[in-house]
Amino acid sequence: MQTKIFKVDPIEPDRRVIVRAANLIRSGEVVAFPTETVYGLGADSTNDRAVEKIFTAKGRPSDNPLIVHVSDLRMLSRIVERPGKKELDLISYYWPGPLTIVFRKKEVISDLVTAGLPTVAVRMPSHPVALALIKESGRPIAAPSANLSGRPSPTRAEHVMKDLSGKIPMIIDAGPTEFGVESTVLDLTGEYGVILRPGPITAEDLAPLIGMAKMYRLGKGERPLAPGMKYRHYAPNTKMVLVCGGPNGIVDKINRLAEAEVRKGKRVGVLCTDETKGRYDERLNKVSLGSRFSPYMLVRNLYHSLRTLDDMNLDLIFAEGFPEDGILATLMNRLRKAASKVMEE
Ligand code: TXA
Ligand code: MG
């Protein structure tokens, strides 16, 4: 299959491209499209055969449920049971945007989407291209990130092309995504709110509306709440060691660890920041996430930086750790998942 890329303006996308993509969705095909978080691989969530194609193209395990994307509240009410007051408050405050909420699902949603769960995770994306595509197709669109399973999520159309070229018919390219990391997934179906996946909207952001939500952590030998959580995600192909500690300590520690590797003839990379970049040994391959004074930028650049490091043919990558609150908790969540080893303080 030949994969066609269509470039569009992110704010005023060419309608002909949207109609073409919507026709593919309605006919049971998959389409890669931009959202404000990452690029998604979309299919009609009410069509089993279409949803199957997502799992096939990505090589994704079928027990990992998908997020469904809607363009308005009428579409939401077609697919979920009546939301509670807290959910409605969150919806009116944060939708459209990078917040995914878990609801009790209605029959129409394919069981493949939810991996047999009685619930479905839904969000209303704010990206004009995503909204236009959902609206034009008239279908709630199931869409995981448009990467091969286990690879960093795509924040640019080139990333999608690299992973899925030849496997999908169409990619809509609207340039780099705004947040660069997947949406926050929140479950309010229990007694208190649980953040199943930290994202652009932080626990601190949610607190005024729902109180401080618990961050979900999987205990050893425990059954995961969301099936997908058991998988190691976002991994670069190169081995990555995440080094935690105070910012000064970290640089010294990485320089020391890297020195030993360089002496063995290894090619070593460092995932660092603008502020620390100049303090690493010249023989190291440095990639900066951006400035520590713009923490959302660090998150936005993460997946692209991981892919950049991966393409440098290194033997080993060291990544700097960050304090785990606010948006940096989201960054650390992804760094921990990408790392093959974590060195705590
Ligand atoms: O930002 C995003 O959310 C991106 C873009 C494309 O919108 N989409 C995305 O979708 O990341 P996906 O399908 O990869 O996210 C699936 C994750 C699962 O691994 C699980 O953590 C959670 O969403 N999830 C899905 N359905 C669930 C359910 N019924 N109950 C609990 N968690 C669920
Ligand atoms: Mg994903």
CSV table of all heavy atoms in Angstrom, one decimal, residues 241-261 268-270 276 279-281 284 316-321 341-345:
chain,number,residue,atom,x,y,z
A,241,VAL,N,19.7,5.1,30.2
A,241,VAL,CA,19.8,5.1,31.6
A,241,VAL,C,19.3,6.4,32.1
A,241,VAL,O,19.8,7.5,31.7
A,241,VAL,CB,21.2,4.8,32.1
A,241,VAL,CG1,21.3,4.9,33.6
A,241,VAL,CG2,21.8,3.5,31.5
A,242,LEU,N,18.3,6.4,33.0
A,242,LEU,CA,17.7,7.7,33.5
A,242,LEU,C,18.4,7.9,34.9
A,242,LEU,O,18.4,7.1,35.8
A,242,LEU,CB,16.2,7.5,33.7
A,242,LEU,CG,15.5,8.7,34.5
A,242,LEU,CD1,15.7,10.0,33.7
A,242,LEU,CD2,14.0,8.3,34.6
A,243,VAL,N,19.1,9.1,35.0
A,243,VAL,CA,19.9,9.4,36.2
A,243,VAL,C,19.2,10.4,37.0
A,243,VAL,O,19.0,11.6,36.6
A,243,VAL,CB,21.3,9.9,35.8
A,243,VAL,CG1,22.1,10.1,37.1
A,243,VAL,CG2,22.0,8.8,35.0
A,244,CYS,N,18.7,10.1,38.2
A,244,CYS,CA,18.0,11.0,39.1
A,244,CYS,C,18.9,11.7,40.1
A,244,CYS,O,20.0,11.2,40.4
A,244,CYS,CB,16.8,10.3,39.8
A,244,CYS,SG,15.7,9.5,38.6
A,245,GLY,N,18.4,12.7,40.8
A,245,GLY,CA,19.2,13.4,41.8
A,245,GLY,C,19.1,14.9,41.6
A,245,GLY,O,18.4,15.4,40.7
A,246,GLY,N,19.8,15.7,42.4
A,246,GLY,CA,19.8,17.2,42.2
A,246,GLY,C,20.5,17.6,40.9
A,246,GLY,O,21.4,16.8,40.5
A,247,PRO,N,20.2,18.7,40.3
A,247,PRO,CA,20.7,19.1,39.0
A,247,PRO,C,22.2,19.1,38.9
A,247,PRO,O,22.8,18.7,37.9
A,247,PRO,CB,20.1,20.4,38.7
A,247,PRO,CG,19.4,20.9,39.9
A,247,PRO,CD,19.2,19.7,40.8
A,248,ASN,N,22.9,19.6,39.9
A,248,ASN,CA,24.4,19.6,39.9
A,248,ASN,C,24.9,18.2,40.0
A,248,ASN,O,25.8,17.7,39.2
A,248,ASN,CB,24.9,20.4,41.0
A,248,ASN,CG,24.7,21.9,40.7
A,248,ASN,OD1,24.9,22.3,39.6
A,248,ASN,ND2,24.2,22.6,41.7
A,249,GLY,N,24.4,17.4,40.9
A,249,GLY,CA,24.8,16.0,41.1
A,249,GLY,C,24.7,15.2,39.9
A,249,GLY,O,25.5,14.4,39.5
A,250,ILE,N,23.6,15.5,39.2
A,250,ILE,CA,23.3,14.6,38.0
A,250,ILE,C,24.3,14.8,36.9
A,250,ILE,O,24.8,13.8,36.3
A,250,ILE,CB,21.9,15.0,37.4
A,250,ILE,CG1,20.8,14.5,38.3
A,250,ILE,CG2,21.7,14.4,36.0
A,250,ILE,CD1,19.4,14.8,37.8
A,251,VAL,N,24.7,16.1,36.6
A,251,VAL,CA,25.7,16.3,35.6
A,251,VAL,C,27.0,15.6,35.9
A,251,VAL,O,27.6,14.9,35.1
A,251,VAL,CB,25.9,17.8,35.4
A,251,VAL,CG1,27.1,18.1,34.4
A,251,VAL,CG2,24.7,18.5,34.9
A,252,ASP,N,27.5,15.8,37.2
A,252,ASP,CA,28.7,15.1,37.6
A,252,ASP,C,28.6,13.6,37.4
A,252,ASP,O,29.5,12.9,37.0
A,252,ASP,CB,29.1,15.5,39.0
A,252,ASP,CG,29.4,16.9,39.2
A,252,ASP,OD1,29.7,17.6,38.1
A,252,ASP,OD2,29.3,17.5,40.3
A,253,LYS,N,27.5,13.1,37.9
A,253,LYS,CA,27.3,11.6,37.9
A,253,LYS,C,27.3,11.1,36.4
A,253,LYS,O,28.0,10.1,36.1
A,253,LYS,CB,25.9,11.3,38.5
A,253,LYS,CG,25.8,9.9,39.1
A,253,LYS,CD,24.9,10.0,40.3
A,253,LYS,CE,23.7,9.2,40.2
A,253,LYS,NZ,22.7,9.4,41.3
A,254,ILE,N,26.6,11.8,35.5
A,254,ILE,CA,26.6,11.4,34.1
A,254,ILE,C,28.0,11.5,33.5
A,254,ILE,O,28.4,10.6,32.8
A,254,ILE,CB,25.5,12.1,33.3
A,254,ILE,CG1,24.1,11.8,33.8
A,254,ILE,CG2,25.7,11.9,31.8
A,254,ILE,CD1,23.0,12.5,33.1
A,255,ASN,N,28.7,12.6,33.8
A,255,ASN,CA,30.0,12.7,33.2
A,255,ASN,C,30.9,11.5,33.6
A,255,ASN,O,31.7,11.0,32.9
A,255,ASN,CB,30.7,14.0,33.7
A,255,ASN,CG,30.4,15.2,32.7
A,255,ASN,OD1,30.3,14.9,31.5
A,255,ASN,ND2,30.2,16.4,33.2
A,256,ARG,N,30.8,11.1,34.9
A,256,ARG,CA,31.6,10.0,35.5
A,256,ARG,C,31.2,8.7,34.8
A,256,ARG,O,32.1,8.0,34.3
A,256,ARG,CB,31.4,10.0,37.0
A,256,ARG,CG,32.6,9.9,37.7
A,256,ARG,CD,32.5,10.0,39.3
A,256,ARG,NE,31.2,9.7,39.8
A,256,ARG,CZ,30.4,10.6,40.5
A,256,ARG,NH1,30.8,11.8,40.6
A,256,ARG,NH2,29.3,10.2,41.0
A,257,LEU,N,29.9,8.4,34.7
A,257,LEU,CA,29.4,7.2,34.2
A,257,LEU,C,29.8,7.1,32.7
A,257,LEU,O,30.2,6.1,32.1
A,257,LEU,CB,27.9,7.0,34.3
A,257,LEU,CG,27.4,6.9,35.7
A,257,LEU,CD1,25.9,7.2,35.8
A,257,LEU,CD2,27.7,5.4,36.2
A,258,ALA,N,29.7,8.3,32.0
A,258,ALA,CA,29.9,8.3,30.6
A,258,ALA,C,31.4,8.1,30.2
A,258,ALA,O,31.7,7.4,29.3
A,258,ALA,CB,29.4,9.6,30.0
A,259,GLU,N,32.2,8.7,31.1
A,259,GLU,CA,33.7,8.6,30.9
A,259,GLU,C,34.1,7.1,30.8
A,259,GLU,O,34.9,6.7,30.0
A,259,GLU,CB,34.4,9.3,32.1
A,259,GLU,CG,35.9,9.1,32.2
A,259,GLU,CD,36.6,9.9,31.0
A,259,GLU,OE1,36.1,10.9,30.5
A,259,GLU,OE2,37.7,9.4,30.7
A,260,ALA,N,33.6,6.3,31.7
A,260,ALA,CA,33.9,4.9,31.8
A,260,ALA,C,33.5,4.2,30.5
A,260,ALA,O,34.2,3.4,30.0
A,260,ALA,CB,33.2,4.3,33.0
A,261,GLU,N,32.3,4.6,29.9
A,261,GLU,CA,31.9,4.0,28.7
A,261,GLU,C,32.7,4.4,27.5
A,261,GLU,O,33.0,3.6,26.6
A,261,GLU,CB,30.4,4.4,28.5
A,261,GLU,CG,29.4,3.9,29.5
A,261,GLU,CD,29.4,2.3,29.6
A,261,GLU,OE1,29.5,1.7,28.6
A,261,GLU,OE2,29.2,1.8,30.8
A,268,VAL,N,28.4,7.4,23.2
A,268,VAL,CA,27.5,7.7,24.3
A,268,VAL,C,26.7,9.0,24.0
A,268,VAL,O,27.3,10.0,23.6
A,268,VAL,CB,28.2,7.9,25.7
A,268,VAL,CG1,27.3,8.2,26.8
A,268,VAL,CG2,29.0,6.6,26.0
A,269,GLY,N,25.4,9.0,24.3
A,269,GLY,CA,24.6,10.2,24.1
A,269,GLY,C,24.1,10.7,25.5
A,269,GLY,O,24.0,9.9,26.4
A,270,VAL,N,23.8,12.0,25.5
A,270,VAL,CA,23.2,12.6,26.7
A,270,VAL,C,21.9,13.4,26.4
A,270,VAL,O,22.0,14.2,25.5
A,270,VAL,CB,24.1,13.5,27.5
A,270,VAL,CG1,23.5,14.0,28.8
A,270,VAL,CG2,25.4,12.8,27.8
A,276,THR,N,22.4,22.8,31.1
A,276,THR,CA,23.4,21.8,31.5
A,276,THR,C,24.3,21.4,30.3
A,276,THR,O,25.4,20.8,30.5
A,276,THR,CB,22.8,20.6,32.1
A,276,THR,OG1,21.8,20.0,31.2
A,276,THR,CG2,22.1,20.8,33.4
A,279,ARG,N,28.1,21.7,30.1
A,279,ARG,CA,28.9,21.1,31.2
A,279,ARG,C,29.3,19.7,31.0
A,279,ARG,O,29.9,19.0,31.9
A,279,ARG,CB,28.1,21.3,32.5
A,279,ARG,CG,28.0,22.8,32.9
A,279,ARG,CD,27.1,23.0,34.0
A,279,ARG,NE,27.3,22.2,35.2
A,279,ARG,CZ,26.5,21.9,36.1
A,279,ARG,NH1,25.3,22.4,36.0
A,279,ARG,NH2,26.8,21.1,37.1
A,280,TYR,N,28.9,19.1,29.8
A,280,TYR,CA,29.3,17.7,29.5
A,280,TYR,C,30.5,17.7,28.7
A,280,TYR,O,30.8,18.6,27.9
A,280,TYR,CB,28.1,17.0,28.8
A,280,TYR,CG,27.0,16.7,29.7
A,280,TYR,CD1,25.8,17.5,29.7
A,280,TYR,CD2,27.0,15.7,30.7
A,280,TYR,CE1,24.7,17.3,30.6
A,280,TYR,CE2,26.0,15.5,31.6
A,280,TYR,CZ,24.9,16.2,31.5
A,280,TYR,OH,23.9,16.0,32.4
A,281,ASP,N,31.2,16.6,28.9
A,281,ASP,CA,32.4,16.3,28.1
A,281,ASP,C,32.2,16.4,26.6
A,281,ASP,O,31.1,16.0,26.1
A,281,ASP,CB,32.8,14.8,28.5
A,281,ASP,CG,34.2,14.5,27.9
A,281,ASP,OD1,34.3,14.3,26.7
A,281,ASP,OD2,35.1,14.4,28.8
A,284,LEU,N,30.9,13.5,24.2
A,284,LEU,CA,29.5,13.0,24.3
A,284,LEU,C,28.6,13.6,23.3
A,284,LEU,O,28.8,14.8,22.9
A,284,LEU,CB,28.9,13.2,25.7
A,284,LEU,CG,29.8,12.7,26.9
A,284,LEU,CD1,29.1,13.0,28.2
A,284,LEU,CD2,30.0,11.2,26.7
A,316,LEU,N,24.7,3.8,24.0
A,316,LEU,CA,24.1,4.1,25.3
A,316,LEU,C,23.7,5.5,25.4
A,316,LEU,O,24.4,6.4,24.9
A,316,LEU,CB,25.1,3.7,26.4
A,316,LEU,CG,24.7,3.8,27.8
A,316,LEU,CD1,23.6,2.7,28.1
A,316,LEU,CD2,25.9,3.4,28.7
A,317,ILE,N,22.5,5.8,26.0
A,317,ILE,CA,22.1,7.2,26.3
A,317,ILE,C,21.9,7.4,27.8
A,317,ILE,O,21.4,6.5,28.5
A,317,ILE,CB,20.7,7.4,25.6
A,317,ILE,CG1,20.8,7.2,24.1
A,317,ILE,CG2,20.3,8.8,25.9
A,317,ILE,CD1,19.4,7.0,23.5
A,318,PHE,N,22.4,8.5,28.3
A,318,PHE,CA,22.1,8.9,29.7
A,318,PHE,C,21.1,10.0,29.6
A,318,PHE,O,21.2,11.0,28.8
A,318,PHE,CB,23.4,9.4,30.4
A,318,PHE,CG,24.3,8.2,30.7
A,318,PHE,CD1,25.5,8.1,29.9
A,318,PHE,CD2,24.1,7.4,31.8
A,318,PHE,CE1,26.3,7.0,30.2
A,318,PHE,CE2,24.9,6.3,32.0
A,318,PHE,CZ,26.1,6.1,31.2
A,319,ALA,N,20.0,10.0,30.4
A,319,ALA,CA,19.0,11.0,30.5
A,319,ALA,C,19.0,11.6,31.8
A,319,ALA,O,19.1,10.9,32.9
A,319,ALA,CB,17.7,10.5,30.1
A,320,GLU,N,18.9,13.0,31.9
A,320,GLU,CA,18.8,13.7,33.2
A,320,GLU,C,17.4,13.5,33.7
A,320,GLU,O,16.4,13.6,33.0
A,320,GLU,CB,19.0,15.2,32.9
A,320,GLU,CG,20.4,15.5,32.5
A,320,GLU,CD,20.6,17.1,32.3
A,320,GLU,OE1,19.6,17.8,32.5
A,320,GLU,OE2,21.7,17.5,32.0
A,321,GLY,N,17.4,13.3,35.1
A,321,GLY,CA,16.1,13.2,35.8
A,321,GLY,C,15.6,14.6,36.2
A,321,GLY,O,16.4,15.6,36.2
A,341,LYS,N,17.0,1.5,32.4
A,341,LYS,CA,17.5,1.4,33.8
A,341,LYS,C,17.3,2.8,34.4
A,341,LYS,O,17.5,3.8,33.8
A,341,LYS,CB,19.0,1.1,33.8
A,341,LYS,CG,19.6,0.9,35.1
A,341,LYS,CD,21.1,0.5,34.9
A,341,LYS,CE,21.8,0.5,36.3
A,341,LYS,NZ,23.2,0.3,36.2
A,342,VAL,N,16.9,2.8,35.7
A,342,VAL,CA,16.7,4.1,36.4
A,342,VAL,C,17.7,4.1,37.6
A,342,VAL,O,17.7,3.1,38.4
A,342,VAL,CB,15.3,4.3,36.9
A,342,VAL,CG1,15.1,5.6,37.7
A,342,VAL,CG2,14.3,4.2,35.8
A,343,MET,N,18.5,5.1,37.7
A,343,MET,CA,19.4,5.2,38.9
A,343,MET,C,18.8,6.3,39.8
A,343,MET,O,18.9,7.5,39.5
A,343,MET,CB,20.8,5.6,38.4
A,343,MET,CG,21.5,4.6,37.6
A,343,MET,SD,23.2,5.0,37.0
A,343,MET,CE,24.0,4.8,38.6
A,344,GLU,N,18.3,5.8,40.9
A,344,GLU,CA,17.7,6.8,41.9
A,344,GLU,C,18.8,7.5,42.6
A,344,GLU,O,20.0,7.1,42.5
A,344,GLU,CB,16.8,6.1,42.8
A,344,GLU,CG,15.6,5.3,42.2
A,344,GLU,CD,14.5,6.2,41.5
A,344,GLU,OE1,14.6,7.4,41.7
A,344,GLU,OE2,13.7,5.7,40.8
A,345,GLU,N,18.5,8.5,43.3
A,345,GLU,CA,19.6,9.3,44.0
A,345,GLU,C,20.4,8.4,45.0
A,345,GLU,O,19.8,7.6,45.6
A,345,GLU,CB,18.9,10.4,44.9
A,345,GLU,CG,19.7,11.7,44.9
A,345,GLU,CD,18.8,12.8,45.3
A,345,GLU,OE1,17.6,12.8,45.1
A,345,GLU,OE2,19.4,13.8,45.8
